[in-house]
Amino acid sequence: AVRLSLPALARDADQLAPQLAGRLISVAAQKRVVADSDLAAIFDLRKAALQHQPSDGRCAWHMVSPTLAQAGAACDMVFQGHTGPVCAVAWSKDGNLLASGGMDGTVRVWDPVTGQCGEIFTLSDQMAVRSVSWDADSIFLAASGDNCSVSIWDLTLGGCVATLQRQSNLHESSIGWSPDAKHLASRNYAGIFLWQAVDFQFVAKLAHAGATSASWSPRGDKIASCGGSQLRIWDVPSGERPVLLQATRARFSAVAWSAADNSIATGSLDSTIRIWDVSNQTCTSAFNADVGPIRSLSWSSGGSGLVAGGGRAHLQVWSIGDRMSNVSLKGHDAGVRSVAFSPSDDQIASASDDFTVRLWNAKFGSRATAEDEHTLQILCTAWSPCGLKLASGSKDKSVRVWDVSSGQCIRVFEWHTAPVVSVWWCKDTEHILSRGEDPDTPFALWNVPGGSFVAAYRSRSELPTTLKLAASTTPTAWSPETCVVPLTGPTAGVVSRSPIDVCLVEQQGKSLHFMTNLRPRE
């Protein structure tokens, strides 16, 4: 819990109590069913954190549901430091270091145990970093990006030792050392470029116009590249005519070669993952990843696990075999750009548009459900007149109703065919009016107790005269000078206060964080 809280504590030491209280909710809840002295101690620690008040007189708020990354759950650590979306993440071969690259033009090297950032390198012209890769000895770190070149740093010297000459005017979108330590490959939309690892001399170009991703074979003698509807397998370094595998109507966006050597995974913009048998040159299975347009794939070292990240704010992890199973890893507040299994397979690193790098326990996860949260950005919220419920509308075209005391979603209303941009409660607290961007009848009336659709209207004036709309709530301006609100991300979300004045909700992307200033009784 303390490790997960470190980024917030760096910004405000008084975050300790609300962060601990918020991150121990799931563990403390187990005390009700498990008689364990350690769990009892955790329960007591959380209770003390809830009772704590800052010495300077500020009002402390606490989470009412486990929407912060939970201690003992899937997310082991959150690394904050990048000032823009993080595009790439890569483990050193020994697993002792983690590198990340971002839109802020920096490459950061992290200690995955302490979470400390040890080195920061900058790409020339401070252009965005799109990819990072370690050599086999974990000494050299390569990065490529929008400056159309590849930079290589020596970690023992702490400086850049080589900049590979430009072979095209296109952005270098990915970079990778071969497992046999003989070559370095960079990839852009013109194709794959090969370099000698010994002296960084250019060797050859593998022409693949529109290539979107590339991956080395485990033995380092072949490269798989994808783009459009084609998967190509190249022999290195001969560059002979590649083997072509094709999927009709597919738009490939990511490829990863399994350590088992005979399997390749591809990801598409339609969120489809395909598993290919290299020997038979056939697709053996295809399934929906449910992560949005797929940006990154990574196999476990044994070839039995596969993780995918994409346009949505969660990761999906599969156990590949006769009976495939998958779990969802949730915690990011924006889309995922890069994923990587650790060499020991016990952790997964992910880089996200929310400016963070996260470490996940690969053995944990929760099965995704359609009821627990919006799937796209929340656009509007409204408190019920009694202040005990909250309605929200989203780009996912749904309206959801939340119980404030528990932070749980109690109703999901789906009828709109376009994003929901406004919601209002009626004064009877039993009906909600929503407005979507639907062209003909944008207004919809919902019965909350019955969980049912009532009617659609062209304008608010058509609403029955027996139903009056309650006054709208406005976002609440809170100051760190007067309040200690649990920090939920690198930037503050939109906060609004309940009419009963003891509850807050913070909106972060597609997530809602419910808080209260009430204290549990002794």
Side-chain angles (χ1 to χ4, degrees), residues 25-102:
I25 294 176
S26 295
V27 178
Q30 299 178 42
K31 183 175 182 290
R32 300 175 184 175
V33 295
V34 180
D36 184 281
S37 59
D38 291 336
L39 290 178
I42 291 173
F43 183 87
D44 292 339
L45 173 62
R46 181 171 184 269
K47 186 175 180 180
L50 288 170
Q51 295 288 356
H52 175 76
Q53 289 283 13
S55 58
D56 57 8
R58 291 186 293 172
C59 176
W61 293 79
H62 296 282
M63 295 289 180
V64 300
S65 59
T67 52
L68 285 177
Q70 294 294 289
C75 185
D76 284 341
M77 191 174 294
V78 181
F79 299 149
Q80 292 180 315
H82 284 285
T83 57
V86 188
C87 302
V89 66
W91 292 90
S92 62
K93 304 308 177 185
D94 55 14
N96 292 330
L97 295 172
L98 186 69
S100 62

Side-chain angles (χ1 to χ4, degrees), residues 125-149:
D125 303 323
Q126 292 188 320
M127 303 292 281
V129 179
R130 301 288 180 177
S131 180
V132 290
S133 179
W134 294 88
D135 77 323
D137 297 321
S138 305
I139 295 176
F140 293 108
L141 178 62
S144 61
D146 289 358
N147 64 348
C148 305
S149 65

Side-chain angles (χ1 to χ4, degrees), residues 22-333:
R23 297 185 188 279
L24 292 172
I25 294 176
S26 295
V27 178
Q30 299 178 42
K31 183 175 182 290
R32 300 175 184 175
V33 295
V34 180
D36 184 281
S37 59
D38 291 336
L39 290 178
I42 291 173
F43 183 87
D44 292 339
L45 173 62
R46 181 171 184 269
K47 186 175 180 180
L50 288 170
Q51 295 288 356
H52 175 76
Q53 289 283 13
S55 58
D56 57 8
R58 291 186 293 172
C59 176
W61 293 79
H62 296 282
M63 295 289 180
V64 300
S65 59
T67 52
L68 285 177
Q70 294 294 289
C75 185
D76 284 341
M77 191 174 294
V78 181
F79 299 149
Q80 292 180 315
H82 284 285
T83 57
V86 188
C87 302
V89 66
W91 292 90
S92 62
K93 304 308 177 185
D94 55 14
N96 292 330
L97 295 172
L98 186 69
S100 62
M103 296 286 283
D104 59 5
T106 66
V107 174
R108 295 172 182 262
V109 180
W110 310 87
D111 183 325
V113 176
T114 65
Q116 296 299 308
C117 180
E119 300 280 357
I120 301 177
F121 304 117
T122 303
L123 211 59
S124 62
D125 303 323
Q126 292 188 320
M127 303 292 281
V129 179
R130 301 288 180 177
S131 180
V132 290
S133 179
W134 294 88
D135 77 323
D137 297 321
S138 305
I139 295 176
F140 293 108
L141 178 62
S144 61
D146 289 358
N147 64 348
C148 305
S149 65
V150 177
S151 298
I152 299 173
W153 290 274
D154 185 326
L155 271 291
T156 60
L157 300 177
C160 183
V161 294
T163 299
L164 307 189
Q165 64 189 54
R166 302 183 183 190
Q167 297 299 314
S168 75
N169 291 323
L170 299 175
H171 296 169
E172 297 293 337
S173 299
S174 64
I175 187 75
W177 298 84
S178 64
D180 61 6
K182 293 181 179 180
H183 294 92
L184 186 65
S186 64
R187 191 272 315 164
N188 61 30
Y189 288 120
I192 317 299
F193 301 88
L194 299 179
W195 316 78
Q196 292 281 5
V198 176
D199 53 12
F200 305 125
Q201 293 299 306
F202 178 69
V203 176
K205 174 185 176 181
L206 308 178
H208 187 172
T212 55
S213 184
S215 178
W216 283 98
S217 68
R219 289 180 291 182
D221 59 340
K222 290 180 172 59
I223 288 179
S225 63
C226 67
S229 62
Q230 286 190 348
L231 169 64
R232 302 185 182 188
I233 302 176
W234 307 81
D235 182 71
V236 177
S238 70
E240 295 176 356
R241 184 176 178 84
V243 174
L244 298 181
L245 305 178
Q246 194 151 344
T248 306
R249 293 188 298 274
R251 294 180 63 194
F252 292 130
S253 52
V255 63
W257 204 312
S258 169
D261 197 39
N262 199 43
S263 296
I264 293 175
T266 56
S268 304
L269 294 179
D270 63 359
S271 204
T272 299
I273 288 179
R274 292 175 174 85
I275 307 298
W276 303 82
D277 185 304
V278 178
S279 298
N280 298 329
Q281 300 178 17
T282 57
C283 177
T284 58
S285 63
F287 50 92
N288 188 280
D290 192 32
V291 295
I294 296 174
R295 295 169 169 171
S296 181
L297 296 168
S298 177
W299 290 90
S300 62
S301 61
S304 60
L306 179 68
V307 60
R312 295 182 181 172
H314 65 272
L315 290 69
Q316 290 287 116
V317 186
W318 288 267
S319 176
I320 304 295
D322 294 334
R323 299 180 62 185
M324 287 207 319
S325 61
N326 73 290
V327 295
S328 179
L329 301 178
K330 299 180 179 181
H332 281 298
D333 296 317

